Amino acid sequence: MAVIDESLLPHLVDVEHPSTRTDRYGNEVADWSPGATLHADVAAWLQQNTGGEDTDQRDAQIGEWLMLCNPFDVDGAPLTVHGSARVHWNGLHFEVIGPPGPAYTPAELHHYEIRLKTVEG
């Protein structure tokens, strides 16, 4: 399997997935409570693409980032990332924007390109 060399993925990130629970109306909803989420440590490259401020009604810092990673976690298990996942790195907390973009060689999956968003304030 062709992959990105680990020396080019210097950032260790935590990819977090919610579990699900049934709410009082019988609907399946995401459960982000402590102990209910699933975590995967992933070697990645993160870079900020855009940054800005939302000063309409609040003082918010907004950033869009790109995360590149191999299609497996640091333990070698297949990595699954959905739009509902969260990524944590270096004290920052990101939401995944849409599904990850798989990048292929002509023969196989090579890596993921995952768009992230952070909002503070």
Side-chain angles (χ1 to χ4, degrees):
M1 171 187 282
V3 295
I4 299 173
D5 186 280
E6 291 288 323
S7 66
L8 299 174
L9 303 173
H11 307 124
L12 181 63
V13 304
D14 171 32
V15 176
E16 181 183 23
H17 295 281
S19 61
T20 58
R21 64 176 175 80
T22 304
D23 69 10
R24 64 183 174 183
Y25 304 107
N27 301 310
E28 289 281 317
V29 296
D31 185 356
W32 290 100
S33 63
T37 58
L38 303 172
H39 295 264
D41 289 331
V42 177
W45 173 271
L46 284 111
Q47 68 183 36
Q48 187 172 8
N49 291 336
T50 63
E53 296 182 34
D54 180 1
T55 57
D56 184 29
Q57 307 293 328
R58 62 192 272 193
D59 185 20
Q61 303 292 314
I62 301 168
E64 288 195 15
W65 293 62
L66 177 65
M67 177 175 133
L68 301 175
C69 64
N70 287 316
F72 48 82
D73 65 19
V74 296
D75 296 323
L79 179 64
T80 303
V81 179
H82 303 286
S84 63
R86 296 177 181 169
V87 173
H88 309 283
W89 171 70
N90 205 28
L92 297 173
H93 307 285
F94 302 95
E95 296 177 11
V96 173
I97 302 173
Y104 290 89
T105 67
E108 63 190 349
L109 176 62
H110 185 263
H111 68 273
Y112 287 132
E113 297 181 6
I114 302 169
R115 293 177 47 232
L116 305 172
K117 180 179 180 180
T118 183
V119 178
E120 295 183 25

